[in-house]
Amino acid sequence: MSCLLGCVDVVACLSQAELQQLPLSDSQRIESESSHVFLCQNPRKLVLPLEMAGQHKLWRFPRKEAKRALSGLRSLEPIIPNHPTDFLGAFPR
């Protein structure tokens, strides 16, 4: 059995070439060798993980389950103190 631990906000999906143009730290820049990467921010964890039937990657989350999960989300402290992950500021307006 698998479980859902929380969620993040997906800010953008970029090619490696686009990623290399952003003013990111070296660790953020080399984190993935995939041809495209998701930039995610605002991580939140569930107070109680939800059991899920073997789903991984991207899938449709049933609305009923989503409503139940939203009430159990809690914000997380940054992994690296004083190092916010605000990718929206990296995009030209």
Side-chain angles (χ1 to χ4, degrees):
M1 182 60 69
S2 299
C3 65
L4 180 67
L5 300 175
C7 69
V8 295
D9 295 336
V10 177
V11 178
C13 179
L14 304 175
S15 68
Q16 279 291 339
E18 292 169 318
L19 182 70
Q20 299 306 317
Q21 300 303 312
L22 293 179
L24 303 174
S25 70
D26 289 340
S27 64
Q28 290 169 324
R29 192 176 311 285
I30 62 172
E31 191 167 309
S32 175
E33 294 180 359
S34 299
S35 63
H36 286 78
V37 296
F38 290 113
L39 294 185
C40 302
Q41 63 187 37
N42 193 21
R44 292 159 325 267
K45 69 176 182 176
L46 287 167
V47 174
L48 294 173
L50 293 176
E51 285 189 11
M52 306 294 289
Q55 302 281 345
H56 70 286
K57 300 194 180 190
L58 301 176
W59 78 100
R60 291 202 179 273
F61 194 45
R63 189 177 300 266
K64 183 179 177 182
E65 294 292 321
K67 285 180 95 172
R68 187 170 69 132
L70 284 174
S71 66
L73 287 174
R74 300 296 180 264
S75 294
L76 292 173
E77 294 296 321
I79 294 172
I80 304 170
N82 302 318
H83 190 294
T85 306
D86 181 8
F87 292 115
L88 290 177
F91 294 102
R93 304 241 187 256

